[in-house]
Amino acid sequence: MVRMRAGWWLGFVALLWLAGCGGTGRAVEHGAAGPEDVSVTILQMNDVYEIAPVEGGTRGGLARVAMLRKRLREANPNTLTVMAGDFFSPSAMGTARVDGRRLDGRQMVAVLNTLGLDLATFGNHEFDLGAEAFYERLAESRFTWVSANVRDSLGRPFPGVQDTHVWTATDAAGRTVRVGFTGATLPATQKDYVTYEDVEASVRRALDDLRSRADVIVALTHLTLEQDAALAVAFPEIDLILGGHEHENYHLRRGPDDTPVVKADANARSVFVHDLHVDPATGRVRVESRFVPVTDAIPDDPETAAEVRRWTERAFAAFRAGGFAPEEVVAEVPVPLDGREASVRNHPTGLTDLIAGAMLHAAEGADAAVFNSGSIRIDDVVPPGPVTQYDVIRILPFGGDVLTVRVRGDVLARVLDQGLANRGSGGFLQTANLSRDADGRWRLGGEPIRPDHTYRIATGDYLASGREKGLDFFAIGAPGVELVRRNGDVRTAVIDELRRRYGRAGR
């Protein structure tokens, strides 16, 4: 397995962008195009939730990706841009209410349409949306959707979604190569309007269709890394697997033919550029993959940048109507605030401590605080420097009230045990004023939690609804759980906490 870290490449972004050189590792067959080859370029993204740059503007940004795409198409008109799932949701901007309704990914589809996205498959977060919004996003898409295993509630393909898609590339000499695509998605999000067929059986059916129709086969997937590797082992006829879901970049080879399995970083911090060189006479395929960090060394495409601004202005107006001042700087933070899923779903960070402290202050008189790490959706590190209200909305896009809840000690200990059992998922719990000793006993304020004692706990309304993994018993009205009061939106509490800790005056 080859893992790329962006820091190694930042000095070479302009060279990669302009010259298109610098491979990242061995491919199925590596080398320059032969004299008889037809070349196809694929620009790959996955897990993109923000239309604008992240990390203080230094990384990502779909207007930059659009400019990269234009440069690639100048070098090779046979260039396709693909998305390996997860972009309808979750995003802070998607929660903005415009014309009385949440955007729910409208801004993502509009910007990707402008960018020139060609092909997408579903990620699990596409189905965060309600059915009406989901169907609207499909109808708004000017790009092609491909999926072999995702179906509607009656087991039919969604409107306009293809099990397989064949794209034909033609070079200047009139030679053609057919690139066949199929898609697959893990069944992580269950909704009554979607069903998932078995991944392996669905891909086998799609490949049966593509074998006679395509010279090259590409699987566009939103699966776990292990599932992608299993596809490479089971189906060596797949030439390239372009995936998503992990939010981190990977470039590895699996299966009897050393099939490349490639994933980029979330929020377009990086993309991969794949050059497929195909000899139409022999069927030989050479694959070269390049890891390209998306930084401010790449200028914006003006048309896409204008579309980004249009949707940003509409969303910010909606946030203002909801009582926020999205562009206001609320604090100058001296340390990075780590909100990456890989961090917050496994251990405390400076950001989780900040949120837990904010909840404890908001719920005056509470003994401790506990919240689910899945409420943090930024999957980013907020760098040292100015933090705006929009940054806070990005951290906690779904908001929700801070509750003061009266909880019996035995129930609280059971909640905390389940939170540990949920490590690695959104149900992993972050806390304030709670700890676990070497014997596994829970303590509050340094004192052992007494099973028959009642404690006042600050928590979130989602966690106290009983909907979190394994925590159905932790719901208002359940035995040992009683609501005391509501204390306002958690995002307001975090804004107040930032001001309290770092001394920025209120607006």
Side-chain angles (χ1 to χ4, degrees):
M1 178 176 72
V2 179
R3 293 283 303 280
M4 316 295 172
R5 295 285 21 117
W8 301 354
W9 290 84
L10 291 178
F12 301 98
V13 173
L15 180 62
L16 284 168
W17 173 47
L18 293 171
C21 61
T24 59
R26 185 169 68 86
V28 177
E29 284 194 44
H30 187 76
E36 302 303 319
D37 289 349
V38 177
S39 294
V40 175
T41 299
I42 300 176
L43 171 59
Q44 173 195 356
M45 295 180 283
N46 48 269
D47 304 275
V48 180
Y49 312 108
E50 294 290 337
I51 55 178
V54 297
E55 295 187 20
T58 63
R59 299 296 299 273
L62 289 179
R64 294 169 181 167
V65 176
M67 179 58 79
L68 176 61
R69 173 184 174 273
K70 283 188 174 179
R71 295 293 185 176
L72 292 170
R73 285 174 60 84
E74 289 173 1
N76 181 8
N78 289 318
T79 294
L80 277 172
T81 303
V82 304
M83 174 74 78
D86 267 14
F87 57 98
F88 285 177
S89 174
S91 72
M93 206 168 285
T95 67
R97 300 191 72 85
V98 175
D99 300 327
R101 299 179 62 192
R102 281 174 40 147
L103 286 181
D104 275 339
R106 281 175 60 197
Q107 80 286 0
M108 297 301 308
V109 173
V111 172
L112 289 168
N113 283 340
T114 303
L115 178 150
L117 182 66
D118 294 293
L119 192 65
T121 198
F122 298 114
N124 54 291
H125 284 303
E126 265 60 79
F127 305 104
D128 289 351
L129 274 57
E132 182 180 4
F134 172 81
Y135 279 99
E136 288 174 348
R137 299 298 87 79
L138 284 187
E140 292 158 4
S141 303
R142 296 204 298 262
F143 43 88
T144 300
W145 286 90
V146 61
S147 177
N149 80 310
V150 178
R151 299 289 188 262
D152 69 12
S153 59
L154 299 178
R156 304 168 303 191
F158 285 108
V161 179
Q162 306 172 15
D163 280 18
T164 60
H165 178 72
V166 177
W167 183 79
T168 301
T170 304
D171 70 2
R175 296 171 300 180
T176 62
V177 164
R178 301 164 301 171
V179 184
F181 291 88
T182 190
T185 304
L186 77 168
T189 304
Q190 301 292 328
K191 287 290 181 69
D192 57 8
Y193 66 88
V194 61
T195 58
Y196 303 89
E197 296 180 353
D198 178 76
V199 169
E200 185 170 330
S202 300
V203 171
R204 179 178 291 108
R205 183 184 66 242
L207 294 179
D208 288 343
D209 172 61
L210 286 174
R211 284 188 190 97
S212 63
R213 301 173 56 222
D215 304 301
V216 182
I217 296 177
V218 179
L220 190 60
T221 69
H222 198 88
L223 304 169
T224 67
L225 196 62
E226 293 76 15
Q227 289 174 308
D228 280 324
L231 282 186
V233 171
F235 303 110
E237 61 265 55
I238 297 175
D239 295 292
L240 182 61
I241 297 174
L242 306 181
H245 188 60
E246 273 80 9
H247 292 199
E248 293 187 273
N249 67 77
Y250 289 88
H251 182 191
L252 54 84
R253 300 175 300 278
R254 290 293 184 270
D257 286 353
D258 287 335
T259 304
V261 178
V262 189
K263 308 191 183 204
D265 290 296
N267 279 328
R269 291 182 183 87
S270 68
V271 296
F272 267 92
V273 177
H274 310 281
D275 291 314
L276 283 62
H277 308 301
V278 187
D279 186 330
T282 66
R284 183 185 62 183
V285 180
R286 302 171 188 259
V287 179
E288 295 182 278
S289 299
R290 305 192 304 281
F291 172 79
V292 182
V294 178
T295 74
D296 51 12
I298 302 174
D300 285 347
D301 166 62
E303 184 182 4
T304 306
E307 189 72 358
V308 168
R309 285 194 299 272
R310 186 169 79 89
W311 285 99
T312 300
E313 289 166 2
R314 297 184 77 185
F316 278 21
F319 290 133
R320 292 185 194 101
F324 292 97
E327 295 162 304
E328 182 203 352
V329 174
V330 296
E332 295 281 344
V333 177
V335 294
L337 299 175
D338 187 355
R340 293 172 297 178
E341 283 190 5
S343 300
V344 302
R345 297 187 177 201
N346 288 281
H347 56 79
T349 72
L351 178 61
T352 65
D353 289 345
L354 175 80
I355 296 169
M359 296 176 79
L360 200 56
H361 275 112
E364 186 177 353
D367 302 306
V370 58
F371 72 97
N372 57 313
S373 59
S375 60
I376 299 173
R377 306 311 287 261
I378 190 171
D379 195 32
D380 192 3
V381 176
V382 179
V387 176
T388 66
Q389 288 202 23
Y390 183 63
D391 289 322
V392 176
I393 296 169
R394 285 185 62 216
I395 292 165
L396 297 162
F398 300 114
D401 281 345
V402 178
L403 307 182
T404 303
V405 179
R406 192 175 288 112
V407 185
R408 201 171 59 236
D410 59 334
V411 175
L412 178 59
R414 188 181 169 196
V415 167
L416 297 172
D417 284 339
Q418 184 60 43
L420 277 185
N422 288 344
R423 187 183 300 274
S425 74
F428 179 70
L429 300 181
Q430 300 287 352
T431 64
N433 208 31
L434 290 161
S435 62
R436 194 166 181 254
D437 63 26
D439 295 326
R441 293 174 299 184
W442 289 103
R443 293 176 175 270
L444 190 154
E447 296 296 322
I449 290 177
R450 293 160 45 191
D452 58 349
H453 189 70
T454 298
Y455 299 90
R456 285 184 172 231
I457 304 298
T459 192
D461 52 8
Y462 179 83
L463 183 58
S465 71
R467 289 179 287 170
E468 190 53 270
K469 180 181 177 182
L471 288 163
D472 56 307
F473 61 91
F474 187 57
I476 301 299
V481 184
E482 178 188 352
L483 176 65
V484 177
R485 66 174 175 269
R486 295 180 175 271
N487 304 286
D489 194 299
V490 63
R491 295 169 295 187
T492 301
V494 171
I495 289 168
D496 290 344
E497 186 71 11
L498 284 164
R499 290 173 175 150
R500 183 181 298 111
R501 291 193 183 194
Y502 301 111
R504 172 74 63 154
R507 69 172 187 253

